[in-house]
Amino acid sequence: MAKYSVVSLIREGLRGHAGWRRAWRNPDPRPAYDAVIIGGGGHGLATAYYLAKAHGLTDIAVIEKGWIGGGNAGRNTSIIRSNYLFDESAAIYNHALTLWKGLGRELNFNIMMSHRGVLNLAHDEHEGRQLKRRIEANRLNGVEAEWLDAREVKSFCPVINIARDIRYPVLGATLQRSGGVNRHDAVIWGYARAADALGVDIVQQCEVTGIRTENGQVTGVDTTRGAIRTPKVASVTSGHTSIIAGMVGLKLPIQSHPLQALVSEPIKPLVPCVIMSNAVHVYCSQSDKGELVIGAGIDAYNSYTQRGSLNIIEHQMASLCELLPVVGRLRMMRQWGGIVDVCPDASPIISKTPVKGFYINGGWGTGGWKATPGSGHVFADLIARDEPNAIAAPFALERFHTGALVAEHGAAAVAH
Amino acid sequence: MSGYRLSDGGLTDRGTTLRFSFDGTAMSGHSGDTIASALLANGVRIVGRSFKYHRPRGLWGAWVEDPNGIVDVAWNGRTTPNLRATTEPLINGQEVRSVNAAPTAAGDRWRKLDLVSRFLPAGFYYKTFMWPRWERYEPRIRALAGLGRLDPGHEPAADCAQVNARCDLLVVGAGPAGLAAARAAAARGETVLLVDDQDAPGGALRWRGGTIAGSDWRDWAEDAVSTIKAAGGRVLFRTTAYGVYDHGLVCAWRRREAGPDQLWRIRPGRTLLAAGAIERPLTFADNDRPGVMSADAALRYLRLYAVVAGRRIAVATNNDAAYPVAAALAQAGADVSVLDSRDDSLAMAECALAVERNTLPSAALGQEDLTGVLAGDLRLEADTLLVSGGWTPTIHLWRHAGGGLRYDERLAAFLPEGGMPAMRVAGAANGAFGLAAALADGHAAGGDDGPAPPVGEGHASYAIRPAWPDPAGSGRAWIDQQSDVTVKDVALAAREGFRSVEHLKRYTTLGMATDQGKTSNMAGLAAMASITGRAIPEVGTTTFRPPYVPVPLPVIAGRRRGQLFNPPKRLELEGRHREAVAGLREYGGWLRPSWYGADGAAAIDAEARAARRAVGLLDASPLGKIEVIGPDAAALLDFECYNRVSTLKVGRARYVLMLTEAGIVYDDGVVMRLAEDRFIVSCSSAHVAGVRMRLEEWRQDRFDPARVFIHDATAHWATIAATGPKSRDLLEATLPALPRQALDLAHMAVTETALDDAPLRIARVSFTGERSYELSVPQSAAAALWDRLTAGLATLGGCRLGLEALLILRAEKGYPIIGKDTDGLTMPHDLGMTGPMKKREDEFAGRRALFTPQARGADRRQLVGLAVDESAEPLPTGAHGYAPSGGRRRSIGYVTSSYLSPELGRPIALALIENGRERLGERIPLVHLDATFEAMVTSPVAYDPAGMRLDA
Amino acid sequence: MFLIPCPYCGERDQSEFAYAYQAHVHRPKDPDRLTDKEWADFVFIRDNPKGVFAERWIHAAGCRRYFNLMRNTATDEILAVYRIDEPQPKVEPALPATPSGEAPIGSGNDAVKVVKPAERGS
């Protein structure tokens, strides 16, 4: 892997950039691998990278139906934080946050990880108390968190209106300073390039159409580009997890919903951090290009169309204008939708399955992006060892049978 | 400086002179100008700078396709960022500023950035800025990026109305095809809604002209508009249909001449997309120089505003559509020469000007401004180069709706493919180029099988010979002018493997600027096709997403702001509460009194004491009043509730929990039985809608809907609760007509009577642990009842009771508030309510889940009280109890409610604590925001554990 | 926003309705006889097809009646509407050409490649 640096940029600049090589090869699938990862999104590519790097498993392939990063990886609002309420969630998201911190240098790809801070606003006393409880829960789990009163919120993020006579006054906020945003495409390409350099085959335009099993053990996958033999198949296909699991006859506690987002036209720096409001139900940050990136909640119904209802967008815009009235002179430039897998307890599934050699990583709901490196890291470990480690174990499928849910949705956290 | 205005012609009002400034320089224009036409008329060449290299940018287009003329406009004390100069009407007094430039577009201090552009290719930032970390570089890069500047001092009003409309046929675009279709449909009696983003009908006819049905096109267009209106239809100008949503819903942004913008949500029977086509650039070295302009735009500036783009004009084309432009500009007095990539064509043959055949520009000459054109060996002096690289049909809305595309080799364009029942495309958007073809296509699309109106001469030919970007070309040739993406960048993307059209877009930012690639996407994917040896349709397009043009956020938000944003529910008695100086806050969606009086803390304390010592009067109207009626009502409620309801005697009430199927406590409430077959579910105010839905689902699913009926009367009745040892006295004193038996009701009994001819329901239900009466009357009788009751308070030492005091009273008694003192894991036995799960053998919602390993397991978090020293401050709500665990602290639960009890004179607290009931008497450490505490685990009931006060 | 044909009130905007997930889910007759797993499956597991989905809606801001829709979750096209006590009607939807229906070129991600009944092979 030729190193990216300012030196290589200057060298190539002087010779017309003719020397740059493919960031990743685009191989045809081979007839057999030690493991096949279905899904070339963030979690899938991270899984492959850590399988190769941490477990020495390099004869593996990532099979992507379209182009890598084309699913939820390319459709999220790229918010990073780990201030979850429950111990189990905090563990995996904080594991991810730790990995995010050095990831750009590790992958030698600038993922533009910007730890600019995430504010969760409190609009009434009750919400304030809940958020403070979350702060302490976070601290007990080693997750950095602090409370800002209204004036401190104003000084941290001047665009926020802290007047008391508005519909949703801001009484204070939690701040996770190490939270922030990054550049989602760069993460994809960085992981792809690094995994490829370790020998992983990243196969695009190759859709899995079936999974072969014998005596309850995975033996291979059928794809639109031929059959592949493998003893291990890992589904990392959030949005379509149910479809892939259905190929081995598994039904999962997952429903697929649209989740929409949009961007404004670019403006000069206005929003210095990530702003999230559960009561007003909107979240917003500003990209390095200057666009406001705005998200809201999921559409209530199941759909795979990668688009959602207008009323969600209308409410989202009203929410943003209510929260930051100055944005009323901005324009929406583009809107889109992704498909999120939602579990009943709003926590993911990272699990072995009743089919030996078939592993599932999905059900991340609206919180998948921020977990990417942590998810890939523990999932690689699960695939390599066929046993979940302490971080992954609470997210096994069995929890729905035992009732040991990780009920983040009941925890009043904004789920993004 | 080369654009100028002719002494006559155009559609502007020359009688009105409008003053404006650009980058601080005073200028003038006319009413009817756009900012762009006025800039051009004033000879302004450089209207802005590009995003990345700060290259000078001139006007390319004359409408929404223009990528360059982005300006901040201050007017009337407010600044709006990122307006398109090409579409924004000129207004007297506008201060127009270029973006991406400081201090002015012409004198931008960052212009030298272009000198190092060779080190800043597509995606260069992914390869550097990693050490020591990105944040070191980010602030400076962010400051450079971004276009306009938002005025932080101005908050626009939420005044954009949203209009719902239906019609038989929606026609998008009032050009020849759209007008013909709308006219034909209206003539057949259909209700047509015709929308167009310009301010008059005609589309390209407005600058290209034409003869239709034997006379000037304007006569025909006028007739078409009258026909539409006569058939009951509407025509909306300055209205952009910008997106198609579910099931054919079309959204349109209407800019009214007077008054705020509007969002139109249109549900058409059918939609006809006749949005025309957009002219493409040609790709050659330095094709981004100010002075290089779309040929069609130049004609538009000439005809609509009488502005000539330059004096020495070269026209370069690969199709016939540029010839009328050349002829018109020559006629207007410009020195025009033509370069054509083709050997011959109809228009070329008829052209009176000199034409260089088989020739296209290889480079634009000049630095900040165009000075000439190089075409192979040929060197032309020119101050303006008008180009036409062909036309791209505007099929955005078709794609939003899910329509297919095919690549048409003859027209070198993607065209709509296949049909959709509710939408079709006509005119140039459908590849029907030229007036006659467009009219015929529109006429047929409007449902008329007969012949289309005949047209005059000279509109027939297109004859494009594709001229896609040449990857081997020398110099830097721009594809996306706003984002600075060149052909070399596309080649670099291909070299590095970013070959999917989506990777190309995301890696190079091609098409991601505010114009969303209207002029760049086709060239970009053609370049990628050529570099990677694929056909254009093999590369494909990126996804078309709404909006077609950027739409102001308030248009989408509408009037949902302030009190109209999630409007709180209002109490019938709100006026009475305000008169009593209530502090009003939102609880469970209702605006309710928190306390009465100016001093909140003192009021809460006094109210809580009064309820314990005398009587407090609470407006409890938001409490649920869901009537469940019918022979199966008891059975339905038995299923709905954790506690059995069917054993309830008529005239009695029972406290119940309701569980989810996962066994989690969903809500609590009181069920009253008014008759054998009539119950009222008084659930908590925040859960009324949810409980009603649950009941409805069980009813329709598991029961015979003819034998049980659900009526939610919550909003119809007011409920006033009198609570405290003197509550009976209050009723007796203020409601003398009340029957004795109502006063004598036992705890958890209910009766129906009447007061002043209005029905009155009285229930002995207590949320405070004190003797209490809940009086429910129709809303119309609420004020009179409240007035009578409040009149008696002072004599008895009672007072009005706000919600905050009530919360204290509840907590003192250990009465949990579902969702506050419970969470998404709490089961009934965690609240100590084990009776029904032990005794009930019949089925109820959530029952089975109470017997899973997790539900029966140890370590459940149970509701307990926490006691601290009498002199201590109350524990902070949210504080975590903890236990040491491997050198760390592990949370064992948290404080859910905590107050200073006025009656007990000491702090009280409720908490969900792991194995709480086994810890009674145990002291546990707590932590909250760095402070630590210690508390003793107690029963949740801190006050009157024996329940003696209920009948006191 | 869907345009939903309430069988009792006619076509109304989606904002008047609430979604109630999969239709034809029958609560077990005797939950006590179920294993923990079987009960959990009833509570938590629902179909999640890409294609035809029989689902339940309630006209919450209208007649407050539940009814069933058959909708193609790959396209959001409504294929049939019927009362909750009626059997599931037969429909012939356009279904994804492959499990995901990824369009063959470009991104195509907003329009799943579907095959109409007439085009489908045997």
Side-chain angles (χ1 to χ4, degrees):
Chain A
M1 188 168 90
K3 191 168 163 30
Y4 290 162
S5 69
V6 68
V7 177
S8 64
L9 257 179
I10 291 170
R11 187 183 63 233
E12 286 299 330
L14 294 172
R15 53 176 183 149
H17 298 282
W20 298 115
R21 293 287 162 256
R22 271 181 170 278
W24 65 92
R25 299 163 294 128
N26 192 34
D28 292 324
R30 283 188 274 128
Y33 291 98
D34 288 345
V36 165
I37 293 158
I38 308 175
H43 294 226
L45 290 164
T47 302
Y49 170 72
Y50 293 114
L51 268 176
K53 179 161 178 274
H55 302 279
L57 213 60
T58 56
D59 184 21
I60 60 177
V62 176
I63 304 285
E64 165 55 45
K65 67 183 179 184
W67 39 283
I68 58 169
N72 293 333
R75 294 161 194 277
N76 63 79
T77 50
S78 76
I79 292 169
I80 306 303
R81 63 180 181 89
S82 67
N83 53 354
Y84 280 71
L85 184 64
F86 285 93
D87 301 355
E88 300 85 350
S89 316
I92 191 160
Y93 285 105
N94 218 36
H95 182 49
L97 184 60
T98 308
L99 290 170
W100 278 125
K101 284 178 181 166
L103 193 62
R105 288 198 302 276
E106 179 179 343
L107 300 177
N108 182 231
F109 204 100
N110 183 8
I111 62 165
M112 302 185 185
M113 184 65 239
S114 170
H115 300 279
R116 57 178 71 166
V118 176
L119 288 176
N120 287 78
L121 304 181
H123 298 285
D124 60 38
E125 278 85 1
H126 178 60
E127 207 175 7
R129 286 191 290 261
Q130 284 191 327
L131 286 173
K132 286 177 187 167
R133 170 189 159 209
R134 180 139 67 96
I135 289 179
E136 201 52 57
N138 291 158
R139 290 180 179 181
L140 289 170
N141 281 315
V143 174
E144 170 261 316
E146 62 193 279
W147 175 256
L148 302 186
D149 65 25
R151 292 178 60 167
E152 290 166 326
V153 169
K154 183 78 183 169
S155 103
F156 188 77
C157 182
V159 71
I160 292 178
N161 180 3
I162 57 165
R164 293 302 294 263
D165 58 348
I166 54 177
R167 178 76 181 86
Y168 285 97
V170 174
L171 307 190
T174 66
L175 169 63
Q176 185 175 26
R177 288 184 192 271
S178 53
V181 292
N182 55 23
R183 173 93 182 94
H184 50 31
D185 292 325
V187 173
I188 297 300
W189 303 333
Y191 268 127
R193 175 166 165 267
D196 177 88
L198 293 168
V200 175
D201 276 3
I202 296 164
V203 183
Q204 301 185 97
Q205 303 269 291
C206 179
E207 182 174 345
V208 171
T209 54
I211 298 172
R212 297 185 180 194
T213 59
E214 272 173 33
N215 306 321
Q217 157 74 49
V218 164
T219 59
V221 293
D222 293 319
T223 78
T224 49
R225 294 171 70 177
I228 300 170
R229 291 191 310 281
T230 182
K232 291 188 176 188
V233 170
S235 166
V236 203
T237 54
S238 265
H240 283 79
T241 308
S242 300
I243 310 295
I244 299 294
M247 291 177 184
V248 293
L250 271 182
K251 276 179 84 170
L252 298 175
I254 279 180
Q255 299 281 290
S256 297
H257 291 266
L259 177 64
Q260 305 183 72
L262 58 91
V263 289
S264 76
E265 293 185 320
I267 46 165
K268 292 295 178 196
L270 177 81
V271 180
C273 58
V274 179
I275 303 173
M276 314 184 73
S277 165
N278 202 21
V280 180
H281 214 88
V282 70
Y283 52 95
C284 164
S285 68
Q286 190 171 12
S287 74
D288 286 326
K289 271 181 73 187
E291 303 128 336
L292 294 191
V293 184
I294 306 153
I298 63 171
D299 280 90
Y301 53 83
N302 293 28
S303 182
Y304 288 86
T305 51
Q306 293 185 321
R307 52 188 284 166
S309 273
L310 177 70
N311 49 344
I312 299 271
I313 295 296
E314 288 179 348
H315 193 265
Q316 186 175 339
M317 287 303 88
S319 301
L320 187 73
C321 291
E322 185 63 29
L323 197 61
L324 307 174
V326 298
V327 304
R329 299 221 82 80
L330 279 182
R331 296 177 181 205
M332 169 172 84
M333 186 166 80
R334 188 174 176 88
Q335 65 171 106
W336 65 91
I339 314 165
V340 294
D341 281 353
V342 182
C343 282
D345 60 352
S347 289
I349 295 168
I350 305 170
S351 188
K352 294 162 70 170
T353 68
V355 180
K356 197 159 166 39
F358 182 64
Y359 307 89
I360 286 177
N361 181 340
W364 287 91
T366 58
W369 180 252
K370 62 185 69 64
T372 302
S375 160
H377 194 258
V378 301
F379 195 45
D381 191 69
L382 171 63
I383 297 165
R385 297 191 305 116
D386 198 39
E387 272 311 315
N389 63 21
I391 295 177
F395 300 103
L397 264 174
E398 288 75 35
R399 74 177 188 270
F400 296 99
H401 299 153
T402 63
L405 306 184
V406 187
E408 279 293 339
H409 69 129
V414 187
H416 298 277
Chain B
M1 302 280 264
S2 57
Y4 60 97
R5 199 186 304 262
L6 297 170
S7 54
D8 57 25
L11 303 178
T12 56
D13 174 9
R14 287 172 187 262
T16 339
T17 298
L18 307 179
R19 308 278 168 199
F20 73 106
S21 69
F22 177 66
D23 278 352
T25 305
M27 299 181 182
S28 68
H30 298 302
S31 179
D33 263 324
T34 61
I35 291 174
S37 68
L39 289 173
L40 202 60
N42 280 274
V44 173
R45 257 296 159 82
I46 303 175
V47 298
R49 292 274 156 177
S50 65
F51 198 77
K52 191 164 150 192
Y53 302 138
H54 284 247
R55 300 261 295 186
R57 288 287 172 256
L59 293 168
W60 153 264
W63 199 239
V64 295
E65 75 283 3
D66 181 59
N68 294 337
I70 311 295
V71 290
D72 287 357
V73 178
W75 182 74
N76 208 9
R78 61 179 73 147
T79 303
T80 308
N82 298 341
L83 292 179
R84 273 139 207 76
T86 48
T87 58
E88 208 56 32
L90 188 70
I91 304 174
N92 197 48
Q94 281 172 326
E95 293 169 39
V96 181
R97 290 222 152 260
S98 56
V99 299
N100 273 333
T104 65
D108 177 35
R109 70 170 68 101
W110 287 96
R111 60 209 282 188
K112 298 278 192 302
L113 211 54
D114 194 39
L115 297 176
V116 296
S117 62
R118 60 160 48 181
F119 304 113
L120 312 173
F124 76 93
Y125 31 79
Y126 297 128
K127 297 184 171 109
T128 180
F129 304 136
M130 283 170 269
W131 194 267
R133 57 185 182 278
W134 165 242
E135 287 108 316
R136 181 70 67 85
Y137 309 91
E138 190 183 31
R140 261 172 286 176
I141 289 172
R142 289 188 75 182
L144 259 182
L147 298 172
R149 205 171 289 280
L150 196 64
D151 177 357
H154 180 244
E155 301 184 352
D159 55 2
C160 296
Q162 299 189 315
V163 181
N164 293 316
R166 297 199 82 143
C167 57
D168 296 329
L169 176 67
L170 170 69
V171 178
V172 178
L179 280 171
R183 188 177 193 274
R188 296 166 60 235
E190 290 194 271
T191 308
V192 177
L193 179 56
L194 172 63
V195 301
D196 190 280
D197 60 356
Q198 298 191 55
D199 53 11
L205 286 165
R206 300 180 69 212
W207 55 94
R208 291 200 172 249
T211 306
I212 300 176
S215 61
D216 184 82
W217 69 271
R218 290 178 190 82
D219 301 334
W220 175 79
E222 206 170 288
D223 180 59
V225 169
S226 344
T227 308
I228 295 162
K229 290 182 177 166
R234 288 189 74 153
V235 183
L236 300 177
F237 295 110
R238 289 175 297 279
T239 302
T240 310
Y242 67 79
V244 181
Y245 295 83
D246 298 317
H247 300 158
L249 175 69
V250 177
C251 280
W253 164 34
R254 184 181 184 203
R255 299 166 296 281
R256 293 189 295 166
E257 273 179 299
D261 293 358
Q262 293 175 334
L263 173 70
W264 279 58
R265 290 187 291 229
I266 306 163
R267 287 269 186 206
R270 301 175 344 265
T271 298
L272 179 74
L273 178 62
I278 289 172
E279 194 165 49
R280 289 174 202 149
L282 290 168
T283 318
F284 48 88
D286 297 323
N287 60 340
D288 64 328
R289 288 272 176 251
V292 179
M293 182 186 270
S294 148
D296 189 60
L299 185 60
R300 195 163 177 163
Y301 285 118
L302 176 68
R303 294 284 194 232
L304 301 188
Y305 314 102
V307 176
V308 185
R311 293 173 197 276
R312 295 197 68 173
I313 298 176
V315 176
T317 185
N318 65 348
N319 68 83
D320 278 359
Y323 281 85
V325 183
L329 287 164
Q331 199 183 11
D335 172 5
V336 181
S337 50
V338 180
L339 312 177
D340 196 316
S341 69
R342 301 165 301 169
D343 190 44
D344 195 14
S345 86
L346 211 58
M348 210 188 301
E350 291 172 358
C351 180
L353 301 163
V355 178
E356 284 291 336
R357 293 160 193 250
N358 303 310
T359 304
L360 276 183
S362 48
L365 302 173
Q367 286 304 315
E368 293 278 289
D369 199 352
L370 187 80
T371 57
V373 182
L374 208 59
D377 299 337
L378 183 73
R379 192 189 172 97
L380 279 177
E381 296 294 314
D383 58 39
T384 299
L385 171 58
L386 304 181
V387 298
S388 177
W391 295 77
T392 301
T394 304
I395 39 75
H396 297 66
L397 298 190
W398 170 258
R399 292 292 296 130
H400 296 172
L405 294 183
R406 72 184 164 88
Y407 186 72
D408 186 295
E409 293 283 351
R410 189 177 59 85
L411 298 178
F414 282 103
L415 295 180
E417 160 81 343
M420 281 194 290
M423 187 184 278
R424 62 162 293 183
V425 187
N430 197 30
F433 292 153
L435 181 54
L439 270 181
D441 200 22
H443 188 72
D448 194 328
D449 300 332
V455 301
E457 297 290 300
H459 295 282
S461 57
Y462 177 47
I464 184 174
R465 178 181 170 199
W468 300 120
D470 176 10
S474 60
R476 293 152 77 201
W478 262 254
I479 287 179
D480 187 323
Q481 295 203 34
Q482 191 182 122
S483 298
D484 276 329
V485 181
T486 65
V487 178
K488 283 185 167 50
D489 289 317
V490 178
L492 175 63
R495 195 174 305 136
E496 298 193 88
F498 299 94
R499 295 177 174 211
S500 153
V501 67
E502 287 284 353
H503 284 151
L504 169 66
K505 167 185 149 181
R506 287 149 182 270
Y507 189 62
T508 64
T509 71
L510 190 157
M512 289 173 81
T514 56
D515 60 302
Q516 290 283 291
K518 290 187 178 63
T519 56
S520 57
N521 283 344
M522 273 307 290
L525 67 93
M528 180 55 83
S530 147
I531 291 164
T532 54
R534 289 177 289 177
I536 285 174
E538 282 179 76
V539 175
T541 69
T542 52
T543 310
F544 290 76
R545 294 277 188 185
Y548 171 63
V549 296
V551 175
L553 305 189
V555 169
I556 303 163
R559 288 179 171 153
R560 301 172 191 83
R561 290 273 296 286
Q563 290 306 310
L564 294 181
F565 179 80
N566 293 346
K569 298 185 191 107
R570 303 285 191 151
L571 295 167
E572 174 74 17
L573 297 173
E574 184 179 321
R576 294 290 195 281
H577 301 316
R578 286 189 185 277
E579 282 166 22
V581 205
L584 292 163
R585 287 197 201 164
E586 206 175 313
Y587 297 85
W590 288 84
L591 199 60
R592 303 181 70 177
S594 299
W595 60 76
Y596 295 85
D599 181 347
I604 293 166
D605 191 81
E607 289 167 19
R609 281 173 198 276
R612 291 273 179 244
R613 304 289 176 87
V615 56
L617 200 61
L618 176 83
D619 184 351
S621 301
L623 275 178
K625 288 172 280 275
I626 302 173
E627 298 190 22
V628 182
I629 307 157
D632 285 355
L636 171 60
L637 288 170
D638 269 352
F639 185 75
E640 164 71 12
C641 299
Y642 172 64
N643 313 70
R644 192 189 267 285
V645 171
S646 55
T647 52
L648 198 59
K649 291 193 168 55
V650 172
R652 301 292 297 182
R654 182 167 291 163
Y655 176 76
V656 300
L657 295 180
M658 290 162 259
L659 314 183
T660 68
E661 285 285 38
I664 307 302
V665 178
Y666 175 78
D667 193 23
D668 66 351
V670 169
V671 176
M672 305 171 200
R673 187 167 207 168
L674 300 174
E676 275 302 318
D677 60 353
R678 184 160 162 256
F679 297 81
I680 289 185
V681 180
S682 182
C683 55
S684 58
S685 52
H687 284 121
V688 174
V691 169
R692 188 183 69 213
M693 292 272 265
R694 282 167 57 108
L695 285 167
E696 271 298 349
E697 186 156 22
W698 299 133
R699 165 184 174 256
Q700 295 180 33
D701 229 14
R702 293 177 55 83
F703 291 83
D704 178 354
R707 292 176 56 84
V708 55
F709 187 76
I710 290 153
H711 173 60
D712 178 8
T714 304
H716 304 221
W717 290 69
T719 298
I720 298 166
T723 184
K726 295 187 181 170
S727 53
R728 189 181 198 281
D729 300 344
L730 180 69
L731 267 56
E732 200 165 18
T734 57
L735 309 174
L738 212 58
R740 186 98 217 150
Q741 48 96 350
L743 293 175
D744 291 343
L745 275 181
H747 179 58
M748 296 310 267
V750 56
T751 185
E752 289 178 296
T753 169
L755 188 70
D756 302 341
D757 299 328
L760 167 68
R761 185 169 64 241
I762 303 183
R764 282 286 314 279
V765 173
S766 179
F767 292 100
T768 61
E770 303 290 339
R771 167 183 285 271
S772 303
Y773 295 83
E774 270 185 19
L775 288 77
S776 297
V777 291
Q779 297 285 13
S780 54
L785 178 61
W786 179 259
D787 289 345
R788 290 171 72 164
L789 290 165
T790 48
L793 285 172
T795 329
L796 295 168
C799 66
R800 296 170 183 81
L801 187 59
L803 261 284
E804 291 299 321
L806 179 72
L807 292 175
I808 297 175
L809 297 167
R810 283 187 71 147
E812 286 172 342
K813 285 295 296 175
Y815 294 156
I817 295 178
I818 307 305
K820 181 171 190 291
D821 299 307
T822 69
D823 65 19
L825 299 172
T826 308
M827 291 179 160
H829 47 292
D830 301 327
L831 301 176
M833 292 184 60
T834 53
M837 68 187 283
K838 285 182 180 156
K839 290 182 199 142
R840 279 188 73 176
E841 289 182 356
D842 59 327
E843 190 57 17
F844 58 86
R847 189 175 97 92
R848 177 64 181 80
L850 302 177
F851 300 96
T852 62
Q854 189 70 19
R856 286 174 302 189
D859 302 337
R860 293 199 62 82
R861 289 185 175 182
Q862 298 164 331
L863 187 72
V864 291
L866 290 179
V868 293
D869 288 346
E870 282 195 12
S871 57
E873 291 286 308
L875 291 166
T877 303
H880 288 259
Y882 66 87
S885 164
R888 287 177 45 207
R889 291 165 170 177
R890 185 179 67 82
S891 173
I892 58 166
Y894 60 96
V895 177
T896 61
S897 292
S898 176
Y899 305 97
L900 180 65
S901 162
E903 186 62 29
L904 299 171
R906 62 175 171 85
I908 55 160
L910 296 175
L912 285 168
I913 298 291
E914 207 171 275
N915 288 326
R917 281 199 297 278
E918 287 173 25
R919 295 178 192 259
L920 292 181
E922 188 182 314
R923 299 189 74 82
I924 60 166
L926 296 105
V927 58
H928 187 73
L929 304 186
D930 295 330
T932 53
F933 310 88
E934 200 182 60
M936 191 173 73
V937 180
T938 66
S939 150
V941 188
Y943 178 76
D944 184 28
M948 305 299 286
R949 311 272 313 162
L950 286 166
D951 286 310
Chain C
M1 269 185 292
F2 295 166
L3 188 61
I4 296 179
C6 172
Y8 307 101
C9 307
E11 283 187 339
R12 295 287 189 280
D13 194 278
Q14 182 195 324
S15 51
E16 294 185 13
F17 299 83
Y19 190 59
Y21 299 90
Q22 186 176 345
H24 309 291
V25 175
H26 299 290
R27 196 174 191 278
K29 284 257 182 306
D30 189 356
D32 282 350
R33 301 179 78 126
L34 300 187
T35 63
D36 290 335
K37 181 179 180 308
E38 286 165 339
W39 174 253
D41 285 352
F42 159 68
V43 175
F44 295 121
I45 295 196
R46 294 291 179 273
D47 292 342
N48 187 27
K50 184 168 190 166
V52 183
F53 190 40
E55 64 192 8
R56 183 177 275 193
W57 292 76
I58 177 171
H59 195 181
C63 61
R64 284 192 191 160
R65 280 198 261 191
Y66 284 88
F67 59 89
N68 294 339
L69 276 189
M70 294 186 69
R71 186 168 53 92
N72 185 348
T73 62
T75 62
D76 285 339
E77 184 191 0
I78 292 172
L79 306 163
V81 57
Y82 55 105
R83 298 195 314 263
I84 59 172
D85 56 356
E86 288 181 318
Q88 200 168 321
K90 281 211 165 20
V91 291
E92 289 220 336
L95 290 174
T98 59
S100 78
E102 192 76 358
I105 56 160
S107 83
N109 267 319
D110 68 334
V112 170
K113 175 75 180 164
V114 289
V115 181
K116 300 196 175 88
E119 300 164 1
R120 229 173 282 156
S122 50

